[in-house]
Amino acid sequence: MDTSYVHGYAEPEARRLGDQADTLAELLHAGTAYPAGSRVLEVGCGVGAQTGHLLARSPGAHLTAIDVSAESLAQARTRIGESVDWRQADLFDVDETFDHVFVCFVLEHLPEPGKALAHLKTLLRPGGTITVIEGDHGSAFFHPRSASAQAAVDCLIRLQADAGGDALIGRRLYPLLTGAGFDGVRVEPRTVYADASRPDLVTGFTRGTFIAMVEGVEENAVARGLVTQPEWDRGVADLYRTTREYGTFHYAFYKATAHRTPGGAS
Amino acid sequence: MDTSYVHGYAEPEARRLGDQADTLAELLHAGTAYPAGSRVLEVGCGVGAQTGHLLARSPGAHLTAIDVSAESLAQARTRIGESVDWRQADLFDVDETFDHVFVCFVLEHLPEPGKALAHLKTLLRPGGTITVIEGDHGSAFFHPRSASAQAAVDCLIRLQADAGGDALIGRRLYPLLTGAGFDGVRVEPRTVYADASRPDLVTGFTRGTFIAMVEGVEENAVARGLVTQPEWDRGVADLYRTTREYGTFHYAFYKATAHRTPGGAS
């Protein structure tokens, strides 16, 4: 869900951006704090968008962060520094033991998320925990309603499915985690609701995250013939209408926690 | 959203029913408590489903509850007793001053909800508050996904629209309240998420409230030709699949609060 921000970085803008990033980080990371000394694996850290929040909330933990992309890892290292053990690796190639595993916006891209979770379970000590955060684009609804806007969102869902992922994975976290054999699975929605009384979220989430993400697939969606260019333009314009003074926007992330059976049975 | 419960009332069942009703009541009523002595108007109390919760949380308030149906009011009176000033009235005919107005699952049925809110504002003393709770059926999504189940939900939305209402009104509370001239409008989603780890919500909300509500329009939906009987049956069966051990269900209510300008300007 991390997307580049296109509205400039003047001083007050940068401060506001910080506020809104904090709002989303609080929404997603609240409740996640690892004890000093614990070994934590972040899977698919990308450019480190979540890694900084993890560190801030668990200052004494030993954090290992993996990603398949050397380029992303280099950016993450520049951004966060050397307090993290950065490693270029596929999650299926990791073979170590951790106290806690953290996975955010990763399963949505995997063709076999259940298999990934089952492997991650083998990396946890008995009693160790996993935390998974994913979105669900089926949770996006808005005012004013618009079939064109919904069609643009559907393009994003369709293209992610064609790439082997699932943009509707949030609702599946419970069956995926229980199916992978985790115990004590607890899933909760973490909802973003934006209207004109919450300008940080309108700018930071509706425009800067969600609409930006939709806009990111324009070329692909039109080239693949999922929509015509005029249909696409109407859809995106209608999404922007939801950020006006009368508009509203709803989106639900899901946050799941679970543990490996303390008795040690796999 | 209040529907009859069809699974029997043996002793443990009745206790669990109480638990789940409490869970939903807590979700909807948390944050609503009126001071002793304050004059509160509940609009469209129906059979008193919310009135008892209002009384329990605001024991010293003077509660006036109106409804257009004498039959519903009689049931409410039997259920709650004489501590409420029950009145058969249309909200547009009320002409008194209150400190607080409470409206739950009412606007969704009105052809002109904005006009209703504008009238309710005239009943509030300057500085008085309004609380509005509504659902939004567009927030319903579930696992396993099913086009047939979605079609059944769409019948409910369509039939409510044909009757002059709006089953998707939750997302409109912010523009409706600001449009009616209220100040300090604050809207928040109150989300129900049910999976097998929350059996009370699976039984009480997904089955006992949402699916029961969908089932309530079967005859009408089929008779009007919105779906065929086999399509309907498949849709409802698929909704029940979301209540199995691997299923999940998401629904968002919206709770809004606002006040009339303290200065007294209308």
Side-chain angles (χ1 to χ4, degrees), chain B residues 183-261:
Chain B
D183 280 340
V185 179
R186 191 76 183 168
V187 178
E188 38 180 76
R190 300 265 173 121
T191 300
V192 182
Y193 164 72
D195 63 31
S197 73
R198 306 167 190 259
D200 289 350
L201 286 173
V202 171
T203 306
F205 183 76
T206 312
R207 285 178 178 265
T209 303
F210 192 85
I211 298 179
M213 189 169 50
V214 172
E215 289 179 317
V217 302
E218 170 177 349
E219 202 178 353
N220 206 351
V222 175
R224 302 268 302 269
L226 301 183
V227 286
T228 65
Q229 187 70 51
E231 282 166 348
W232 178 268
D233 293 342
R234 196 177 316 119
V236 170
D238 284 357
L239 283 174
Y240 276 105
R241 283 202 300 161
T242 73
T243 68
R244 301 237 185 103
E245 70 277 14
Y246 49 76
T248 69
F249 196 94
H250 175 285
Y251 188 90
F253 295 96
Y254 278 91
K255 182 165 187 172
T257 53
H259 59 260
R260 183 176 175 177
T261 313

Side-chain angles (χ1 to χ4, degrees), chain A residues 7 17 31 48 63 78 83 86 93 110 126 130 132 161 176 183 198 234-235 238 240 246 261:
Chain A
H7 299 290
L17 184 64
L63 185 56
T78 303
S83 57
W86 306 103
D93 296 330
L110 304 182
I130 187 167
V132 182
L176 282 169
D183 280 339
R198 305 167 189 261
R234 196 177 317 120
D238 284 358
Y240 276 104
Y246 51 77
T261 313

Side-chain angles (χ1 to χ4, degrees), chain B residues 20-256:
Chain B
Q20 108 226 336
D22 288 351
T23 304
L24 275 182
E26 175 62 29
L27 184 83
L28 300 178
H29 286 268
T32 302
Y34 300 114
S38 59
R39 300 154 297 170
V40 179
L41 174 67
E42 185 190 3
V43 177
C45 64
V47 299
Q50 308 305 325
T51 318
H53 299 300
L54 280 178
L55 276 179
R57 287 168 185 266
S58 304
H62 297 300
L63 184 56
T64 301
I66 65 167
D67 202 275
V68 290
S69 162
E71 192 183 328
S72 292
L73 280 169
Q75 287 184 56
R77 188 189 294 265
T78 302
R79 181 176 185 160
I80 310 287
E82 300 297 329
S83 55
V84 174
D85 181 7
W86 306 103
R87 296 197 210 157
Q88 187 183 359
D90 186 287
L91 71 91
F92 288 103
D93 295 331
V94 179
D95 180 19
E96 259 173 86
T97 301
F98 295 91
D99 299 303
H100 306 287
V101 169
F102 180 86
V103 192
C104 184
F105 306 146
V106 173
L107 298 185
E108 61 171 322
H109 300 297
L110 304 182
E112 297 187 287
K115 208 169 149 187
L117 289 173
H119 179 71
L120 291 175
K121 186 162 71 89
T122 69
L123 307 184
L124 277 175
R125 67 161 166 82
T129 74
I130 186 168
T131 298
V132 182
I133 300 174
E134 297 287 347
D136 190 311
H137 293 357
S139 72
F141 62 91
F142 36 79
H143 176 76
R145 288 195 286 144
S146 156
S148 302
Q150 188 58 55
V153 175
D154 289 345
C155 286
L156 183 61
I157 296 169
R158 166 76 183 278
L159 289 169
Q160 192 157 341
D162 288 352
D166 182 2
L168 309 175
I169 201 168
R171 71 190 76 183
R172 293 172 59 204
L173 291 188
Y174 183 83
L176 282 168
L177 283 158
T178 53
F182 283 97
D183 280 340
V185 179
R186 191 76 183 168
V187 178
E188 38 180 76
R190 300 265 173 121
T191 300
V192 182
Y193 164 72
D195 63 31
S197 73
R198 306 167 190 259
D200 289 350
L201 286 173
V202 171
T203 306
F205 183 76
T206 312
R207 285 178 178 265
T209 303
F210 192 85
I211 298 179
M213 189 169 50
V214 172
E215 289 179 317
V217 302
E218 170 177 349
E219 202 178 353
N220 206 351
V222 175
R224 302 268 302 269
L226 301 183
V227 286
T228 65
Q229 187 70 51
E231 282 166 348
W232 178 268
D233 293 342
R234 196 177 316 119
V236 170
D238 284 357
L239 283 174
Y240 276 105
R241 283 202 300 161
T242 73
T243 68
R244 301 237 185 103
E245 70 277 14
Y246 49 76
T248 69
F249 196 94
H250 175 285
Y251 188 90
F253 295 96
Y254 278 91
K255 182 165 187 172

